[in-house]
Amino acid sequence: MRVAPIAWALALACLPPGAVTAADTAVHPEQWPAAHWPLPRDAALEQRVAALMAKMSVEEKVGQLIQADISAITPDDLRTYRLGSILAGGNSKPEGKTTATAAQWKALADAFYRAAMDTSDGRQAIPLLIGIDAVHGHNNTVGATLFPQNSALGATRDAQLIRDIGAATAAEVRATGINWTFAPTLAVPQDLRWGRAYEGYAQDPKVVAQYAAAMIEGLQGKAGTPHFLDASHVVASAKHFLADGGTKDGKDQGDAQVSEAGLREVHAAGYPPAIDAGVQTVMASFSSWNGQKMHGNKALLTGVLKGRMDFQGFVVGDWNGHGQVPGCSNVDCPASIDAGVDMLMAPDSWRGLYEHTLAEAKSGAISAARLDDAVARILRVKFRAGLFEAGLPSAQPLAAKSAEVIGSPAHRALARRAVRESLVLLKNNNGLLPLDPRKRILVAGDAADNISRQSGGWTLTWQGTGLSNKDFPGAQSIGAGIAEQVKAAGGQAEIAADGRYASKPDVAVVVFGEDPYAEFQGDLPNLLYRPGDEHDLELLRRLHGDGIPVVAVFLSGRPLWVNREINASDAFVAAWLPGSEGGGVADVLLRKRDGKIANDFHGKLAYAWPGSGVHGQGESRFPFGYGLRYADHASVADLSEASGISGEQIPVGNYLDRGKSVRGYTFRLLGADGVASVVSTSQSATGDSSLRMSALDYKAQEDARRFEWTKSGAELTIQSRAPFDLDRQTNGDVLLVATVRVDALPGKDAWIGMGCGAGCKGRVALGPTLAALPTGTWTRIGVPLKCFRAAGADMHRIDQPFVWGAGAGSSVALARVALGTDADQVVDCAR
């Protein structure tokens, strides 16, 4: 175990409070590690770049600097504006299809290619870079191979495996006509409360540095060989420069309050090897360093990255990240270009940004030298990648046989191997594992037969939510993988999410864990697993209480405080987020038919497992590098069930569940007379009888509530005990999602709102949306948080996350209200 280096790295990264101030932003490039661009100067390439640029107008040059999202630009737009790149964000798909197919992706790529290459207006034909977040396989395409998320891959300690995964991912991406992936993430997460921790390979900068070169060589091919950036590879993007994994309190897009030494030795560790491997693009981080936004940090982007580290590709911004630089907006930011960002990601703001940037280039506010430098960097990448010769995306070699490439047996076998190597055994008392497949085995837990849960965020949708097993053709759930092998061996397997069995099993495998999330949606206030929700723990204890040996398979993007769940299990496996090949879990948990071990545990923790729910408190329960094998017979004694967290834990973003307000919130009815009453029973009414509430069944007994208005002006409200900040969620296109059934709506005066203190409220009309719904049918209505802000709500101090009003005669039922990104109907507040 490399305990000493980790302790040293953490000491550099996490200085005592007050040791680093906002003024400590001086950079000393000469103290940073030097990297070496592996591609020698190419006179022919430079001549091609210079010749093309000599023909380009300033309008065409500015266009190269801007990237738009496919949801906000059309091929016809591109014929006019000639941008340098388009991207497909996490929820952006061809034709708006969540489960976009290879054929749909190729058709989209072809349409934009033709527009970019159209010279009928006299402009230059410059092919597009098409970017996508292929971060654990080609995860935006239905039927693609989904590899384990990065935190799982870190446990394998297998750089060649990472290289092979990169190559397989590149092949599947190219098979859909796309040529650029926003990967790999080279963050070195130091706080597991961060919602993107699972995108980092390890807390150890040495592991990240080793993987950086391997993944980039897999994605792009090895620099200096004929395979580099050929038709089987894609342009890679090392991200996010710099210290996104070191922000204070693990806040996404937050501030890394660390010394320059910590920034250099810990958080920058992956970038020199990435540059040595020839990575073509680097993505700037949303985050700040000691108060200075990275999108505006010239000393780091230009002085260190392009200067000291000799990076000769181009820097791309993150999703409207330039708009967060002081003095900038989403549509205007010369400061970010001056700092060293060569291509601004302006998904929905590209048109305004183009107009402002063009005016600034013409006025000299953006110098001609800086403009030409950025354009030349972008064109070099396009020439190196062979885009000018590649032709129509759908006609390229792998795209022409996409059905053979995407989700191929070889790629799925590779992913299954990655699952086997990434599993970490934390506990195996009495040698319970491996299991005899000839026995009667119960597979329980609400993630037992759920491919979405085992894949996590960035899977078909941005947050990885709103999906079912049918959306993953060719994939296999963990439960199905176990059942398949057990039945083949002559045993009996039963899958029951709730753990209710027909016949008492010999052993139970309980699969449970985090729900999918991405970015800030996964930020946590502490390291507790599901605070306020103990249904997984209750299931483990109930089965154990029935005298059944229990194997816990924990799905998570990061280690969390699960001491109670570990105590309630005889064996405990950290399975991370394994992706589409759930059978890889069965490969390790089950013996061969002859009783011999089929596959031993291989994984070693890439993140120390917390011994407390408080970040940084006490010693790790399982240190970095820990991981048992079957030959290890040490038993794990019962762990302390004192989490270190005091006070009531309020769930984040969940306000009403199963018809009841969740812990930390109160349900109130406000009469038309202005008098409020707190709801404490399932049957209630306002004092003036203008609003009545009763219980009804939705999916279980009395798990929903019906509200009937006898007078207009009455409201139902969820009240928080203290105001909280939803500004980050508002900027991230999150919805307030209500699971609702309309039984009667005589008028169109229904509305939904959020409150923010006395005299502060934002209301959004629901009448037209609800009136279009069939009565008596349950649906999920989503209202963008931006709508509440536009209606006057101060999203920094929300104390009523849900308010509903309707007219006399209205009857509406509610089952759940929570923040989310998936809804059946999304309210258009612009109407």
Side-chain angles (χ1 to χ4, degrees):
M1 289 177 210
R2 302 201 331 242
V3 176
I6 289 296
W8 167 78
L10 291 175
L12 284 173
C14 304
L15 297 177
V20 177
T21 69
D24 293 324
T25 55
V27 176
H28 305 84
E30 71 281 359
Q31 297 178 8
W32 287 66
H36 306 282
W37 187 248
L39 307 175
R41 179 176 173 79
D42 186 335
L45 170 63
E46 294 304 318
Q47 186 176 10
R48 293 184 74 183
V49 170
L52 178 55
M53 288 182 64
K55 300 175 185 177
M56 294 171 67
S57 66
V58 66
E59 287 82 2
E60 289 172 303
K61 289 180 178 180
V62 167
Q64 289 298 303
L65 272 58
I66 296 174
Q67 182 182 57
D69 188 78
I70 61 171
S71 65
I73 190 172
T74 67
D76 283 341
D77 290 331
L78 194 68
R79 285 185 169 88
T80 300
Y81 290 92
R82 294 305 178 101
L83 305 189
S85 175
I86 58 172
L87 82 148
N91 282 333
S92 299
K93 303 292 190 299
E95 305 173 26
K97 304 289 188 182
T98 297
T99 52
T101 64
Q104 290 169 324
W105 281 115
K106 287 188 289 185
L108 178 140
D110 282 353
F112 278 103
Y113 174 83
R114 291 189 176 99
M117 303 302 284
D118 185 351
T119 59
S120 61
D121 59 359
R123 298 191 185 187
Q124 303 304 309
I126 304 176
L128 288 170
L129 279 165
I130 305 177
I132 200 165
D133 288 280
V135 295
H136 65 120
H138 194 14
N139 42 266
N140 285 283
T141 297
V142 67
T145 308
L146 300 176
F147 293 95
Q149 298 274 8
N150 286 354
S151 58
L153 296 180
T156 69
R157 303 297 203 279
D158 189 338
Q160 184 57 49
L161 174 64
I162 303 307
R163 188 176 286 105
D164 293 343
I165 288 172
T169 299
E172 296 203 14
V173 170
R174 287 305 293 265
T176 58
I178 297 170
N179 50 36
W180 182 13
T181 177
F182 302 133
T185 296
L186 300 183
V188 188
Q190 302 298 296
D191 190 329
L192 295 172
R193 292 175 294 179
W194 185 38
R196 301 190 79 155
Y198 67 83
E199 296 186 48
Y201 294 116
Q203 70 181 79
D204 180 0
K206 292 184 178 180
V207 173
V208 175
Q210 182 185 33
Y211 277 22
M215 179 56 79
I216 287 162
E217 288 180 354
L219 291 169
Q220 295 189 162
K222 187 172 179 61
T225 71
H227 301 295
F228 183 65
L229 293 176
D230 67 6
S232 297
H233 294 90
V234 294
V235 171
S237 183
K239 68 181 189 183
H240 305 87
F241 192 88
L242 190 59
D244 50 334
T247 58
K248 185 177 185 296
D249 297 327
K251 292 293 185 183
D252 190 52
Q253 301 190 17
D255 187 22
Q257 298 176 7
V258 302
S259 68
E260 185 184 6
L263 194 69
R264 181 180 66 236
E265 304 297 337
V266 177
H267 299 288
Y271 289 91
I275 294 166
D276 290 346
V279 68
Q280 294 294 291
T281 70
V282 169
M283 183 178 289
S285 179
F286 272 121
S287 59
S288 304
W289 175 51
N290 292 334
Q292 185 175 353
K293 280 291 180 181
M294 282 303 311
H295 274 68
N297 196 315
K298 189 171 184 176
L300 289 171
L301 292 175
T302 299
V304 171
L305 179 63
K306 293 181 177 179
R308 178 66 173 172
M309 292 187 180
D310 195 29
F311 174 60
Q312 295 182 32
F314 72 83
V315 176
V316 62
D318 208 338
W319 190 277
N320 280 329
H322 57 276
Q324 298 182 14
V325 175
C328 290
S329 69
N330 289 353
V331 297
D332 188 11
C333 194
S336 195
I337 295 172
D338 181 65
V341 179
D342 301 298
M343 180 182 286
L344 301 177
M345 187 185 291
D348 54 358
S349 59
W350 63 268
R351 197 183 305 263
L353 182 64
Y354 173 88
E355 299 294 350
H356 280 98
T357 305
L358 178 60
E360 287 149 358
K362 288 182 175 180
S363 72
I366 297 173
S367 71
R370 176 68 190 104
L371 176 64
D372 284 352
D373 172 57
V375 174
R377 286 173 174 272
I378 294 166
L379 293 180
R380 288 187 191 104
V381 171
K382 292 184 176 185
F383 279 120
R384 290 188 196 110
L387 301 188
F388 286 84
E389 297 77 36
L392 202 66
S394 65
Q396 293 171 24
L398 294 182
K401 54 178 182 179
S402 58
E404 301 173 28
V405 176
I406 296 172
S408 71
H411 292 169
R412 291 191 181 278
L414 178 65
R416 188 161 176 157
R417 175 189 154 203
V419 174
R420 291 195 296 268
E421 289 194 26
S422 65
L423 302 177
V424 179
L425 182 61
L426 299 183
K427 176 181 179 180
N428 190 25
N429 285 10
N430 302 315
L432 176 59
L433 291 174
L435 303 177
D436 185 344
R438 298 167 297 178
K439 300 288 187 178
R440 185 190 302 273
I441 298 177
L442 170 69
V443 188
D446 54 17
D449 191 32
N450 194 315
I451 298 169
S452 174
R453 288 279 295 280
Q454 69 192 42
S455 299
W458 297 108
T459 302
L460 294 182
T461 66
W462 173 37
Q463 297 290 326
T465 56
L467 305 166
S468 63
N469 283 359
K470 66 179 177 57
D471 296 319
F472 300 93
Q476 186 177 54
S477 70
I478 293 171
I482 293 172
E484 179 182 69
Q485 293 191 35
V486 168
K487 291 175 182 177
Q492 293 180 302
E494 180 179 1
I495 301 176
D498 62 1
R500 303 294 178 183
Y501 46 83
S503 299
K504 185 176 180 180
D506 297 306
V507 65
V509 178
V510 180
V511 188
F512 66 101
E514 292 187 288
D515 291 321
Y517 56 85
E519 301 187 62
F520 59 91
Q521 285 287 78
D523 283 0
L524 296 173
N526 53 54
L527 296 176
L528 299 184
Y529 169 63
R530 289 194 185 281
D533 180 354
E534 298 186 346
H535 77 276
D536 294 318
L537 178 62
E538 291 168 356
L539 174 58
L540 292 167
R541 287 174 171 172
R542 173 167 58 82
L543 291 170
H544 208 267
D546 289 347
I548 302 169
V550 175
V551 178
V553 176
F554 185 52
L555 301 178
S556 71
R558 54 200 160 186
L560 294 171
W561 188 80
V562 286
N563 282 15
R564 298 181 302 168
E565 288 79 4
I566 292 174
N567 287 344
S569 311
D570 298 286
F572 194 95
V573 177
W576 315 109
L577 297 171
S580 60
E581 307 312 303
V585 176
D587 292 346
V588 181
L589 296 189
L590 301 175
R591 294 180 179 274
K592 293 181 179 179
R593 298 184 197 183
D594 60 8
K596 295 181 179 179
I597 293 174
N599 296 280
D600 204 343
F601 278 90
H602 176 98
K604 302 294 181 182
L605 289 179
Y607 296 91
W609 203 281
S612 166
V614 181
H615 167 72
Q617 183 181 88
E619 295 184 0
S620 301
R621 180 57 193 87
F622 301 104
F624 174 88
Y626 179 90
L628 299 174
R629 292 181 179 269
Y630 281 135
D632 298 323
H633 298 294
S635 293
V636 175
D638 280 352
L639 309 178
S640 168
E641 298 196 358
S643 70
I645 301 291
S646 60
E648 188 175 42
Q649 297 303 302
I650 300 174
V652 178
N654 188 11
Y655 311 123
L656 177 73
D657 196 27
R658 297 169 185 161
K660 300 177 183 179
S661 59
V662 302
R663 186 180 300 178
Y665 299 90
T666 55
F667 208 155
R668 298 182 180 183
L669 302 182
L670 178 68
D673 59 1
V675 178
S677 58
V678 176
V679 173
S680 57
T681 64
S682 59
Q683 308 287 331
S684 188
T686 58
D688 64 355
S689 298
S690 59
L691 179 58
R692 296 190 179 95
M693 183 185 83
S694 57
L696 77 158
D697 298 344
Y698 169 39
K699 291 184 175 180
Q701 184 176 1
E702 294 192 358
D703 64 341
R705 299 291 182 267
R706 178 186 288 116
F707 301 89
E708 297 172 285
W709 280 260
T710 62
K711 297 179 184 179
S712 297
E715 303 172 7
L716 58 101
T717 300
I718 299 292
Q719 181 76 42
S720 173
R721 295 183 183 177
F724 53 92
D725 192 341
L726 288 180
D727 186 68
R728 175 67 185 89
Q729 287 84 346
T730 303
N731 292 333
D733 294 327
V734 173
L735 311 171
L736 180 68
V737 182
T739 302
V740 61
R741 188 185 79 187
V742 176
D743 294 330
L745 195 72
K748 292 188 177 182
D749 48 358
W751 55 268
I752 190 170
M754 280 191 166
C756 39
C760 179
K761 184 177 289 184
R763 295 185 179 185
V764 178
L766 284 180
T769 301
L770 297 181
L773 299 176
T775 57
T777 301
W778 287 96
T779 191
R780 294 170 301 160
I781 300 293
V783 182
L785 296 186
K786 290 179 180 178
C787 294
F788 298 114
R789 180 169 64 189
D794 182 349
M795 306 307 290
H796 290 286
R797 54 185 184 96
I798 296 298
D799 64 354
Q800 293 178 340
F802 177 70
V803 187
W804 187 295
S810 297
S811 178
V812 174
L814 286 168
R816 188 171 190 267
V817 178
L819 299 184
T821 57
D822 184 56
D824 302 312
Q825 297 284 336
V826 177
V827 175
D828 181 4
C829 60
R831 292 191 301 179

